[in-house]
Amino acid sequence: MHHNLIKQQKDDIREMYGARRRSLDAAEKEKRDAKICSLAVSLVSFRHAEFVLLYAASEHEIDLDPLAEAALAAGKKIAFPRCDKETHTMTYRVVSSLDELSPGAYGIREPAADAPLYDPAAEHGSAVCFVPGLVYDKAGYRLGYGKGFYDRYLTAFAGCTIGVVYSDFILPAVPRGRFDVAVNTLLTEKGVKTCET
């Protein structure tokens, strides 16, 4: 399939589901997000993880801050992405509190540049990565914001990857390019699904 056609299809889906997500009632969003966080805590991959890789939600994204707090309370190390706009790559950096995050590139809360680096190649402790996405499909492919940060990162990440998405934002298939990387599991407010490969 032609690259531009894929891009157009992705943009159309982004527009539609972006609008849908923005129009979600605030109380309903809060309820769904809380449910997602409570389900996440009981996942085997979360319970066994020494490192929990999270994301700092923007206004309309699924808010995982309570999950970050739960991970800290359980004595786990938590890490958040820091984006490099020039190279379109990101690194995860370890923080000991959500207070250590402040708005960086794209206005997203990020760890400081000198926060300790989480290096998946050097760390042998088990890790789980919670990946945001606007929509996912049943095979675990996602539609993010088109910058490719996560796809680049996940190529080198061997831990368990969990796509975080509302149950009504899962499509039968999303258009995908050759660099798109699938997650292992989908976590929704209605439960957990293992991706059909």
Side-chain angles (χ1 to χ4, degrees), residues 75-86:
K76 300 176 186 301
K77 294 187 177 79
I78 61 170
F80 286 84
R82 198 179 154 84
C83 295
D84 180 337
K85 264 181 149 161
E86 299 300 304

Side-chain angles (χ1 to χ4, degrees), residues 17-24 60-61 133-134 145 166 169:
Y17 281 88
R20 243 179 97 166
R21 190 162 74 174
R22 286 190 297 278
S23 66
L24 188 64
H60 299 288
E61 284 184 311
L134 177 56
Y145 304 107
Y166 295 132
F169 283 64

